[in-house]
Amino acid sequence: MAGRSFKGCVGDDGYYMTETRASMHRLLNVILIWGIFSVLLTIAFAFAAYSQGQVYESLDLIAVGGNTYAGYSIANLLRIESAFCFASGLLLIGFHLTGFVWFYEQGRLRFVTAVSVIIVVFALVWNGFLLSIGLLDPISCIDVALICVFWIKRKAVLKELQEKDLFV
C-alpha cells in the first residue's frame, strides 16, 4: 500500500510496531522488572527490620526497644515498607501481564485500573505519613511514576491507532 512509511517489525497483534508502540512495549517490560525487583527488596527490608535491636520479652511476641525515628520504631517502618514492596511488586507483575493483554489483544483494563488506583492511593498515603515525619519513600514514588507514564503512553498509543492505518 503506497504512503506507508513504517519500518521495522510487526507486533503480535498484526500492527506495525511504531516508536510509540515500541516504547509502550518497553515500558511494560520495565514495569515487570521493577515489580520483580520490588518483591526482592522485601527480603532486604525484612532483614533490615530484624536488625534494629528489638527484643521479644515474652511468648506474646511483643517487641520492645530498638531504634526509633521521630518517635516511631524503625523496625515497624521497615516492616510496613517491606509489606508495601511485596504487595506492589506482585501487583505490578500482574499489571505487566494484563497490560500486555490489553496492548496486543485489545483486552480490558479493569485489573490495570484497579491496580493503578490501589498502588497510587496507598503510595500517596504512605508518603504523606513519611513526609510528616521527615522521610520520603522513593520506591512508592517510582511505582506512581511508572503507572502515570503507562496511562500517558496508553493515550498516545490509542491516538496513533485511530489516526494511522497500522494494520499489516
Side-chain angles (χ1 to χ4, degrees), residues 4 6-18 21-22 25 103-104 166-168:
R4 285 193 186 176
F6 302 117
K7 297 177 183 175
C9 60
V10 176
D12 293 342
D13 56 354
Y15 292 107
Y16 284 104
M17 289 298 289
T18 63
R21 289 174 46 80
H25 185 102
F103 187 55
Y104 286 120
L166 299 177
F167 196 71
V168 176

Side-chain angles (χ1 to χ4, degrees), residues 13-83:
D13 56 354
Y15 292 107
Y16 284 104
M17 289 298 289
T18 63
E19 184 57 37
T20 304
R21 289 174 46 80
S23 68
M24 174 62 90
H25 185 102
R26 286 189 296 268
L27 174 67
L28 287 168
N29 286 338
V30 168
I31 289 172
L32 173 67
I33 292 166
W34 180 250
I36 293 170
F37 183 70
S38 185
V39 169
L40 294 176
L41 280 174
T42 300
I43 298 166
F45 284 121
F47 179 74
Y50 180 75
S51 304
Q52 293 302 313
Q54 287 187 332
V55 293
Y56 295 101
E57 286 191 339
S58 66
L59 294 177
D60 295 333
L61 296 179
I62 298 174
V64 294
N67 300 324
T68 61
Y69 179 83
Y72 294 96
S73 166
I74 293 177
N76 289 339
L77 294 174
L78 288 169
R79 287 181 187 116
I80 295 169
E81 183 64 28
S82 178

